[in-house]
Amino acid sequence: MSKQNKSDEMSPEELQALSLPILGTYEEDETFALKPEEQAKEFPLIALRNMSILPGTVVPILVGRRKSMQVIRQSEIRERCFGVVTQRDANVEDPQLSDLFTVGTIVEVSQIVELPTGELSAILRGRQRFSLQHLTMDDPYLMGRVHLLEDSLPAADKEEEYKVTVELIHERLLGLLDRLAPNAPNGFRDTIRGLKNRAYIVHLAGSLLQLSMEDRQKLLEMDSIYDRAVYVLGRLHDQISESSLREEILNRTRREMDQQQREYFLQQQMRTIQEELGTGPSADDEIEELRKKGKEKLWSEAVAEIYEKELRKAERLNPQSPDFSIQMQYLRTILELPWGVFSQDNFDLKGAKEILDREHYGLDRVKERILEHLAVLKLKGDMKSPILCLYGPPGVGKTSLGRSIAESLGRKYVRISLGGVHDEAEIRGHRRTYIGAMSGRIIQSLQKAGTSNPVFVLDEIDKLADDHKGDPASALLEVLDPEQNTAFHDNYLDIDYDLSKVLFIATANNISTIPSALRDRMELIEVTGYIAEEKLKIAEQHLVPKEAKEHGLKVEDIHFAPGALDLIIEEYTRESGVRSLTKQIAAVMRKLAWATAAEEQLPEAITPELVREYLGKTIYSRDKYQGNEHAGVVVGLAWTSVGGEILFVESSLQPGQSGKLILTGSLGDVMKESATLALSYIRAHATQLGIDLEALKDQEIHIHVPEGAIPKDGPSAGITMVTSLVSAMTRRRVRAHLAMTGEITLRGKVLPVGGIKEKILAAKRSGITDIILCRENEKDILEINEHYLEGLNFHYVDEITEVLDFALLDEIVDKAK
């Protein structure tokens, strides 16, 4: 049985710190092959990047992938071996069979260390080579069917030659060690010198060679131990010769540079004397420092040429003049930009989806678009980033979504607020001829990010303003045009900068105020308001735990009884987002924090009654269905910026000027036109509808929509108004628990309307059971979760006559409203 030797009483960590290999000591005739009881047809597998392990060698590895860590932990618990294979492409995050070399090594774990970063450091010892036949499992970790490979020993006529070859390798190995680790302790050298196992000497030398991944794999795949020895000896000779040549060149160069070194040391002494005298470094030193840093930048030749030109200009200026400090500030601005620096994108699609789902509830379309972008990046490797514009009501998470997107992509996050920006120079910067000139906010943000591909949030892009100082919206055209932003020109920088890898995300409440040219350059994604059911989920999963922690409370001590959060949502907030809901939950938490600080007993559950006690009288109330005992009263459905609502339309006839139409209820122009259109249709089809126009002479027609203080507009009440007027004129009862929405034409056609999801859920909350919609709106119903549609019956129509046939009963109401 082999045993591990800690050379000269040094730990593996100390050996690694001195760049020394971890040694194993073996008897002269000892093999590393698996014992019969250790052999199996299937083994767990770990995919290694840029390294392979030869039998007998002891190698430290750093493990960060979930699948690999699981294999190592289980192997330690079960005391069993596993296989390691090398990836063909180190960048592949989740390799499959085609991504792996087929020859690997069975290894055993010698030591495992849990690191603070969540990664594992493990020391592995190679045992026996194998050929990977196929993968039998890839989750929760890789498992493969293998064929164990035997090392063929040299033939009898090659035995002496093999012995001499190994002796030469042994000698050159000691020479290579002197070059690689001159500070190695004597005990370590003695251990190397005392090695007897020939196969181990060959493999140890092979593991220390500076070989490419392909050459290492080639060495591992050789079946003959003699062929491996010949290959290792040849490469050792090449490497030692190359090292000697490099050393000779270095010595010659050092002699040539002695004079330069002498001058350099004299300059260093002068600088020290200047610092002692308080005069500090000279301007020339500052410029040379900038020149040195510039040579380390990954910019193009054109930018390097401009930078050198500006440096020479600074050299000609008097350090005491104001122009010198301006020029130096300009040079530092160029230098601080992340030229050619890009963060590595995270191609773990499942992990990215988990981050987005964890941070934000709903918003499926936005998440889907980001994951699509990440998928294309993963497959193509490079692409122009899209310009996304998230628009919707306040408080729905548009801005915070940008931070989650940055986290899911593994990119830096920067944000600028454009609300009230009215100066074009805020975007493009000032020309250097102006006093106090500086770069624009785009360039400044990239300096802060430190990479050229951050997630860049342009907040409140719909609130840009313009005046005599220019139009910042027009300045953004170049920033947000994928065809132009490869060469964005900042007035201060005066050098083109590539923004094509930046993922710009704009946010807006109202896209109608965004100039059409700017709007055309962005991919618009609507972030709709949350429905009550979604707000409840957000409150339970996000808001309550967050506010409890922020108020010093334990999350497990806070329990909302059924109906308590619903009460806050329905009667204390009226919004599309969750900002007000957050404030109301915070108000409840403050009451609980006060009770905790006063050492009072917290309630077992926060009931609706406690909510009313904590928050006071209700602020809002939602309309409920009021019955159908009056003719002329019909329930419509409306969309508002804070969600859906039911809308009552009341019609009545009264003595007065013949045919006069009176409209009340703070109606907008479009809604007034719908009322006029409804009346015109009824007059044109009076006979068909059973209405006696003669009987309506000397009658005024009054249409009223309650809650007159609230402005109302839109065409979606068209069929509701027709039904209300016909009911009032014929005194036919309206079907109970019925609501409707849809636009009408003069011919009696029913047209589709928007906001269907919000309207449907408002109807359900109000006790409605039957809903009339345009047939074209059926596709909108199919997109709604079936859970939200339980208890509702939908009736799709194309003509207003179909609406009236279903909505109006033959029963006559005694009194019209």
Side-chain angles (χ1 to χ4, degrees), residues 462-510:
D462 57 328
K463 297 175 179 61
L464 286 168
D466 61 323
D467 60 12
H468 66 282
K469 296 181 180 178
D471 182 6
S474 298
L476 278 175
L477 293 178
E478 185 183 4
V479 177
L480 299 183
D481 191 335
E483 299 302 322
Q484 298 182 43
N485 64 11
T486 53
F488 170 67
H489 192 86
D490 183 273
N491 289 331
Y492 178 79
L493 192 64
D494 205 23
I495 303 174
D496 291 342
Y497 195 89
D498 186 2
L499 299 179
S500 62
K501 302 298 188 295
V502 178
L503 177 54
F504 285 104
I505 299 177
T507 70
N509 298 130
N510 182 9

Side-chain angles (χ1 to χ4, degrees), residues 360-408:
H360 288 81
Y361 183 85
L363 307 178
D364 294 332
R365 187 181 170 194
V366 187
K367 297 175 183 176
E368 183 180 343
R369 180 64 185 87
I370 295 302
L371 292 173
E372 288 171 353
H373 174 66
L374 189 57
V376 176
L377 268 178
K378 181 176 182 179
L379 295 177
K380 191 171 181 289
D382 183 29
M383 67 175 292
K384 290 183 178 179
S385 292
I387 314 295
L388 306 180
C389 179
L390 310 179
Y391 71 94
V396 294
K398 299 184 297 297
T399 304
S400 60
L401 189 61
R403 191 180 297 276
S404 298
I405 291 171
E407 184 182 352
S408 64

